[in-house]
Amino acid sequence: MRLEATSKPNQYHIWMTDAELEELRRAAATHRDDLVIQLGGYVGLRAFEIPQVCPKHVKRTDDGDHYRLRIPEGKDTTGNGGKPRDAYLPADVEGDIHRYKNAEDIGRSDPLVDLSERGIRDVVKRTAEQAAEQTGDEDFRHVSSHDLRRRFAQRLLVDEQVNPRVVMQIGGWESFQAIEPYLNAPTPQVVNEAFEEANLG
């Protein structure tokens, strides 16, 4: 886990790996809390977007092999008001949404996670504190809901080298400038490979 200082004291941008994200998931107290972590870390939702999602927003694509998750009102980054977008929904997360909906008897038009934006942030903070206790890694105590979205973006842009325009569309970023910080932050694996290729490792 890499910590990057911010302008605020004792607040950091956290760059996690997928293994660390999975450790965070294992620390979740409930199925709902785990779903919050997945929606941030694997679907790229912002804290205020998660409470908007209802079961009816899960759509299968025309080919029948993929899923999208409609976000009714994304972030307004242009001054024109928030607009809907279709996030890519991994099959594993879709399966978890389906199981959770059935287990909790959630209606098609009811919020999947019935919490406020603040409630979502609190879930992530509590889960991160628990992960720190379970793993002994104190860096987890700094993890916020936005760090989940940061992991989502870095996985796509750096680890998988997905076309930035695709990432912008599914993640709700309006400009290359908005995703540039994620492009310029190599993962530990990328660093290791760079040194190996240079015969310095």
Side-chain angles (χ1 to χ4, degrees):
M1 196 175 307
R2 184 168 67 82
L3 278 66
E4 179 183 301
T6 68
S7 57
K8 298 178 181 176
N10 205 34
Q11 286 192 11
Y12 302 91
H13 293 154
I14 305 297
W15 299 89
M16 287 188 287
T17 63
D18 276 345
E20 289 160 341
L21 183 59
E22 286 300 309
E23 287 181 332
L24 188 63
R25 286 188 61 196
R26 284 192 287 277
T30 64
H31 192 171
R32 180 203 69 185
D33 292 359
D34 176 45
L35 205 52
V36 166
I37 302 300
Q38 290 186 70
L39 289 170
Y42 291 112
V43 188
L45 302 195
R46 300 172 175 96
F48 81 89
E49 293 173 336
I50 293 174
Q52 297 179 31
V53 174
C54 303
K56 69 180 181 182
H57 294 132
V58 175
K59 307 287 185 194
R60 191 184 291 265
T61 58
D62 291 341
D63 64 13
D65 294 332
H66 302 278
Y67 296 93
R68 298 290 186 272
L69 184 62
R70 170 54 59 105
I71 313 305
E73 190 172 329
K75 183 177 181 181
D76 176 13
T77 58
T78 62
N80 296 320
K83 62 183 180 183
R85 77 171 188 282
D86 290 326
Y88 185 87
L89 183 61
D92 288 350
V93 183
E94 188 279 334
D96 257 11
I97 287 173
H98 185 73
R99 285 186 289 277
Y100 181 71
K101 173 186 79 79
N102 289 341
E104 299 296 321
D105 195 26
I106 297 170
R108 275 184 47 76
S109 298
D110 295 332
L112 194 62
V113 179
D114 194 11
L115 293 172
S116 65
E117 177 181 352
R118 178 60 183 264
I120 296 295
R121 294 183 191 283
D122 288 345
V123 162
V124 175
K125 187 50 70 181
R126 274 195 316 273
T127 305
E129 294 282 347
Q130 186 61 32
E133 294 289 333
Q134 289 179 3
T135 65
D137 186 345
E138 293 297 306
D139 289 350
F140 273 110
R141 297 190 191 279
H142 298 289
V143 171
S144 71
S145 58
H146 190 75
D147 296 319
L148 303 179
R149 184 167 159 84
R150 183 172 288 111
R151 167 81 293 251
F152 166 80
Q154 189 182 41
R155 178 189 311 107
L156 295 179
L157 292 167
V158 178
D159 299 356
E160 304 300 336
Q161 299 189 353
V162 173
N163 182 326
R165 289 192 182 279
V166 171
V167 178
M168 287 168 59
Q169 179 178 320
I170 65 169
W173 285 281
E174 295 289 338
S175 68
F176 282 110
Q177 183 179 1
I179 63 168
E180 187 179 12
Y182 308 108
L183 281 163
N184 294 332
T187 63
Q189 182 64 29
V190 169
V191 171
N192 292 346
E193 289 171 0
F195 272 78
E196 287 169 7
E197 286 175 16
N199 292 318
L200 297 172

